[in-house]
């Protein structure tokens, strides 16, 4: 899997892309990341990437020329998606991450800034818009990192125990069950007896019940 990140702040990605599972996956060439700064594709002496909106309004918009030029400079893989991360996009869900991990070779992610982007970027360049949720952030780099992390961890070789991916929240449209580790008693709180019973059939039944109850209580929309 190859990621091209169109960003005004490439340094934002330096530490996250070198850390933990994501860093190891990139080191092992399970995935590759290319950072592209649209400011490098400007043609004016001030390297302007934003301008005022037609019709008036607050804030600035990313101009189409440097964004188009940055994306069009990239090599094109057979299975590619050009993504704009924006509050107006499709909510990012586990099923979408799985689709990207299985069915795509290249994800181009455009990180928005300011008040957004010129609509022509949306209409004529972007093939999918993705949102982290109903809230606004200062930049598109944070959702871009979230998307990269979510996809890369699903690629073969990233996570040591593949079985662990199959038992996570949202894999079956249910939240995960409560989990405990040692000590068996911490202050006045004890690990449920069933988990210490050694009876795997009872444990599996308890976990399924807990998943259903937790999902009903916290995310009934998933049921």
């Amino acid at each position: 899997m190859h990621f091209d990140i169109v960003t005004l702040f490439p340094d934002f990605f330096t530490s996250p892309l070198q850390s933990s599972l994501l860093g190891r996956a990139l080191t092992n060439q399970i995935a590759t990341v290319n950072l592209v700064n649209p400011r490098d594709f400007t043609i004016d002496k001030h390297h302007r990437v934003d301008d005022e909106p037609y019709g008036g309004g607050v804030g600035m918009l990313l101009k189409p020329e440097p964004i188009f030029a940055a994306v069009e400079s990239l090599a094109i893989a057979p299975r590619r998606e050009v993504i704009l991360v924006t509050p107006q996009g499709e909510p990012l869900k586990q099923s979408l991450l799985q689709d990207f991990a299985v069915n795509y070779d290249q994800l181009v992610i455009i990180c928005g800034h300011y008040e957004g982007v010129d609509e022509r970027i949306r209409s004529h360049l972007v093939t999918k818009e993705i949102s982290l949720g109903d809230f606004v952030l200062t930049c598109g780099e944070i959702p871009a990192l979230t998307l990269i992390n979510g996809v890369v961890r699903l690629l073969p070789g990233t996570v040591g125990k593949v079985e662990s991916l199959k038992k996570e929240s949202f894999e079956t449209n249910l939240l995960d069950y409560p989990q405990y580790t040692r000590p068996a008693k911490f202050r006045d709180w004890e690990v449920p007896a069933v988990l210490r019973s050694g009876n795997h059939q009872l444990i599996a039944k308890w976990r399924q019940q807990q998943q259903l109850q937790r999902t009903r209580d916290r995310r009934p929309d998933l049921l």
Side-chain angles (χ1 to χ4, degrees):
M1 169 67 76
H2 179 71
F3 298 88
D4 289 297
I5 314 302
V6 180
T7 172
L8 292 172
F9 301 98
D11 290 345
F12 189 98
F13 294 87
T14 302
S15 178
L17 293 180
Q18 295 175 351
S19 304
S20 190
L21 284 176
L22 184 55
R24 289 198 292 273
L26 297 181
T27 298
N28 294 331
Q29 295 289 296
I30 294 171
T32 55
V33 175
N34 175 44
L35 301 173
V36 185
N37 192 335
R39 206 177 293 278
D40 295 335
F41 295 86
T42 55
I43 57 175
D44 67 294
K45 65 178 182 179
H46 299 295
H47 301 291
R48 287 284 301 274
V49 294
D50 62 326
D51 211 330
E52 298 174 350
Y54 277 110
V58 297
M60 307 288 276
L61 298 175
L62 287 178
K63 294 164 58 67
E65 306 100 306
I67 301 297
F68 269 81
V71 173
E72 290 170 350
S73 73
L74 303 171
I76 301 176
R79 303 186 300 172
R80 181 175 89 152
E81 196 85 274
V82 179
I83 298 168
L84 175 66
V85 286
T86 166
Q88 300 181 34
E90 173 186 348
L92 182 59
K93 296 184 178 181
Q94 190 68 18
S95 57
L96 187 56
L97 294 173
Q98 291 168 336
D99 181 47
F100 287 145
V102 172
N103 297 315
Y104 289 85
D105 303 309
Q106 178 188 21
L107 298 181
V108 179
I109 306 174
I110 300 172
C111 302
H113 267 276
Y114 313 119
E115 285 300 307
V117 301
D118 184 288
E119 187 65 22
R120 288 165 289 190
I121 296 171
R122 276 195 168 94
S123 302
H124 304 291
L125 183 63
V126 169
T127 58
K128 184 178 284 291
E129 299 182 36
I130 291 177
S131 169
L132 289 191
D134 297 335
F135 54 89
V136 179
L137 300 173
T138 58
C139 64
E141 281 74 15
I142 294 172
L145 273 172
T146 302
L147 178 57
I148 295 169
N149 188 292
V151 172
V152 170
R153 66 187 301 276
L154 296 175
L155 299 177
T158 301
V159 175
K161 295 182 178 179
V162 178
E163 188 66 23
S164 66
L165 296 176
K166 299 177 181 179
K167 296 183 178 180
E168 295 177 320
S169 294
F170 307 114
E171 288 297 325
T172 57
N173 268 359
L174 296 175
L175 300 183
D176 205 358
Y177 47 78
Q179 299 198 64
Y180 300 84
T181 187
R182 295 179 179 84
K185 183 176 182 179
F186 172 64
R187 297 182 179 174
D188 292 328
W189 307 305
E190 293 189 12
V191 175
V194 64
L195 297 178
R196 295 179 279 125
S197 68
N199 188 321
H200 296 293
Q201 187 174 0
L202 285 179
I203 291 172
K205 183 178 180 180
W206 180 87
R207 285 175 169 171
Q208 185 178 42
Q209 291 171 341
Q210 291 295 315
Q211 282 187 283
L212 287 168
Q213 188 60 52
R214 180 164 285 191
T215 306
R216 287 194 195 99
D217 293 343
R218 302 183 182 186
R219 289 293 304 277
D221 57 294
L222 294 175
L223 296 173

